[in-house]
Amino acid sequence: MKAKEIKELIDFISSSGLAEVNIETDEIKLHIIKQHKSDGVQVVEQVVAQQPVATPQPVAQPAAAPIESAAPSAPPAESNNYITIKSPMIGTFYNSPNPDSDAFVSVGDQVSAGKVVCIIEAMKLFNEIESEISGKVVKVLVDNATPVEYDQPLFLVDPS
């Protein structure tokens, strides 16, 4: 999709009654949101275009003798035994049912299968997201009231 075609699409959406449009193909991912302020006419359009990234081809490296490093080794990476709770949809992540309530889950909380861990709002529908696993929440990967993509990691859970 060329820049001119994207501009024409934005102009068409601006003149139509649509408030939000998602277009995803193999070549491009386009998300357009049109917001109006109630005390005036202010239109904000958000366009996210993503071109496919070519995967680098492995290059044959000549065999080299191992080099001993005098610097201390880096600390070990996060444990691989954590299970990720991922977003089942595109929308806005909320960690509590309303702004005055406590978060559904926080770091250190125990979750069980079927427990609500967050809400994702998509097209004015608030969808409760339930945990499919039991364990302890190790890390919350998303800030409250931020947009999330399909299959984006939301939480890390230690099942042990």
Side-chain angles (χ1 to χ4, degrees), residues 1-10:
M1 194 172 233
K2 297 178 183 170
K4 182 180 178 186
E5 293 172 323
I6 293 173
K7 184 173 180 349
E8 289 173 358
L9 181 62
I10 292 171

Side-chain angles (χ1 to χ4, degrees), residues 24-25 34 36 62 68 81-82 85 100 115 123 126 142:
E24 190 170 340
T25 66
K34 179 176 159 182
H36 291 280
E68 302 248 350
N81 63 345
Y82 296 152
I85 297 176
D100 299 330
K115 179 179 178 170
M123 298 178 65
F126 292 86
V142 181

Side-chain angles (χ1 to χ4, degrees), residues 5 11 13 15 54 65 81 86-88 117 119 127:
E5 293 172 323
D11 292 340
I13 292 168
S15 63
N81 63 345
K86 296 181 180 181
S87 175
V117 293
I119 291 176
N127 304 285

Side-chain angles (χ1 to χ4, degrees), residues 70-91:
S73 61
E78 290 184 359
S79 178
N80 288 338
N81 63 345
Y82 296 152
I83 297 174
T84 305
I85 297 176
K86 296 181 180 181
S87 175
M89 65 186 67
I90 295 173

Side-chain angles (χ1 to χ4, degrees), residues 1 6 23-31 47-53 149:
M1 194 172 233
I6 293 173
I23 300 172
E24 190 170 340
T25 66
D26 293 338
E27 300 168 354
I28 192 168
K29 182 177 184 181
L30 187 66
H31 183 171
V47 178
V48 178
Q50 176 180 347
Q51 295 294 330
V53 179
E149 295 290 326

